[in-house]
Amino acid sequence: MERAVSVQREVGLSGTALKMVALVTMLLDHIHYFFGYTGLVPEWFSMAGRISGPLFLFCVVEGFTHTRSRKKYFFRIYGIAVGMGLILYLMKAFGLFVRADGFYPANAVMAEFVILMVMWQGMDWIGEKKLLRGICALFLPFVWYFGVVGIFCQLFTPAVPVVAFLSHTVVPTLNMSPDVSIVYLVLGLILYGLRRRRGWQVLAFMAVDFSWFFGVVMRVLSSQPDFSITQMFTTYYEWYGIFAGILMLCYNGQRGAGCKRLFYAFYPAHIYVLYGLSCLAMGFVL
């Protein structure tokens, strides 16, 4: 009996395998993101890349759930988020390192993971009957965004530069960029809340992803006179992320080889390498 269970657990994809799939599709997506202006990179690079974000989010859920030290896990991702946030702030506030056409990378997925881990811990505290601590952690990102970034900055404008700096660095903040948005927070909470029920977890993920990125987006766009349903497959294809659910179902619950340093280093490294190369290429194109 034990042997049969062991064999069954080895069937499917390990956490490392899922991360490798996410890494490759993310790389394709970002090649299109940085070099799309050349007209030489096919659109399907970004279409394939739609599964990378949900897959990485799923893997972070598993990592946060099973890590030996949540503090170390949190601060590793937090450190990357702060470093990348500082570079983004310098680009936005001072125009440093901005490409000739005014473009700069606004990738903030690590900030999203930081926000979600705080909220996940809040969910766990609530489950442990530590209600005050849990509610504070769960709603802290919203208090900062709506209370400090929103209301406080409107009432006390001299604080805006300081709050803007903090929001990009030491206090990762909610926003409506492609990487950090309310819908992705909802997906993250769903994946974590249903992590012990894989079927329901994936079903809920796919339902919310498709409802928002296909249903809501199509409803908004349908009011435009030149809109065609085919555009949902060629232009507004963010909903392709639902196919990550198939790979989530293939997860066998095993960590795999790990390659922890590779994944932590690859994300920021490939962003800035590709961005630097795109800046050089633009000089040749212009």
Side-chain angles (χ1 to χ4, degrees):
M1 179 64 70
E2 291 182 1
R3 180 179 178 82
V5 171
S6 177
V7 171
Q8 186 174 359
R9 281 178 58 83
E10 292 177 0
V11 176
L13 298 174
S14 67
T16 300
L18 288 179
K19 289 178 185 177
M20 289 302 300
V21 173
L23 185 149
V24 171
T25 53
M26 175 184 68
L27 180 59
L28 291 174
D29 182 31
H30 287 163
I31 289 174
H32 183 270
Y33 177 64
F34 287 111
F35 295 96
Y37 71 88
T38 65
L40 301 176
V41 184
E43 193 73 28
W44 69 262
F45 273 41
S46 275
M47 292 179 179
R50 294 310 91 203
I51 70 170
S52 62
L55 280 182
F56 273 127
L57 182 55
F58 176 82
C59 290
V60 172
V61 167
E62 288 298 303
F64 187 76
T65 300
H66 300 294
T67 184
R68 295 178 181 177
S69 174
R70 286 189 172 183
K71 287 184 179 180
K72 291 182 179 179
Y73 190 81
F74 173 85
F75 280 109
R76 279 195 294 265
I77 295 179
Y78 176 76
I80 298 173
V82 171
M84 296 187 72
L86 176 59
I87 295 175
L88 177 59
Y89 175 77
L90 294 175
M91 290 178 171
K92 293 176 66 174
F94 303 103
L96 298 178
F97 318 118
V98 175
R99 206 167 67 184
D101 61 349
F103 171 87
Y104 55 85
N107 307 81
V109 69
M110 291 297 179
E112 174 194 1
F113 293 157
V114 169
I115 294 169
L116 277 169
M117 282 189 284
V118 172
M119 299 178 76
W120 294 338
Q121 187 61 58
M123 293 170 65
D124 286 349
W125 279 331
I126 290 175
E128 297 167 3
K129 308 302 181 182
K130 301 174 182 178
L131 297 182
L132 180 59
R133 185 187 303 181
I135 292 173
C136 288
L138 195 58
F139 288 98
L140 182 62
F142 299 98
V143 172
W144 173 263
Y145 180 70
F146 292 106
V148 179
V149 179
I151 298 175
F152 178 73
C153 285
Q154 289 183 357
L155 297 176
F156 190 64
T157 53
V160 171
V162 175
V163 172
F165 173 76
L166 293 176
S167 297
H168 282 86
T169 54
V170 296
V171 189
T173 303
L174 293 170
N175 61 61
M176 296 306 293
S177 76
D179 286 321
V180 186
S181 62
I182 297 299
V183 67
Y184 277 113
L185 287 182
V186 171
L187 291 174
L189 295 176
I190 287 173
L191 289 175
Y192 189 74
L194 296 174
R195 64 193 181 281
R196 295 186 179 89
R197 302 187 176 210
R198 184 75 69 232
W200 287 109
Q201 179 195 41
V202 174
L203 180 62
F205 158 75
M206 296 178 76
V208 172
D209 189 283
F210 185 79
S211 297
W212 180 266
F213 290 115
F214 191 96
V216 173
V217 171
M218 186 177 70
R219 182 176 179 83
V220 172
L221 294 173
S222 61
S223 60
Q224 299 179 4
D226 58 345
F227 174 74
S228 169
I229 187 66
T230 59
Q231 290 178 285
M232 297 304 301
F233 299 88
T234 59
T235 305
Y236 305 101
Y237 48 77
E238 188 71 29
W239 65 273
Y240 283 6
I242 64 170
F243 296 111
I246 299 174
L247 295 174
M248 295 176 191
L249 288 174
C250 296
Y251 177 54
N252 61 15
Q254 296 184 353
R255 178 185 177 188
C259 305
K260 180 171 63 177
R261 293 182 179 179
L262 169 65
F263 295 115
Y264 284 128
F266 186 84
Y267 183 77
H270 92 283
I271 289 291
Y272 299 122
V273 168
L274 289 177
Y275 178 62
L277 291 175
S278 75
C279 292
L280 293 175
M282 175 158 286
F284 289 107
V285 172
L286 294 177

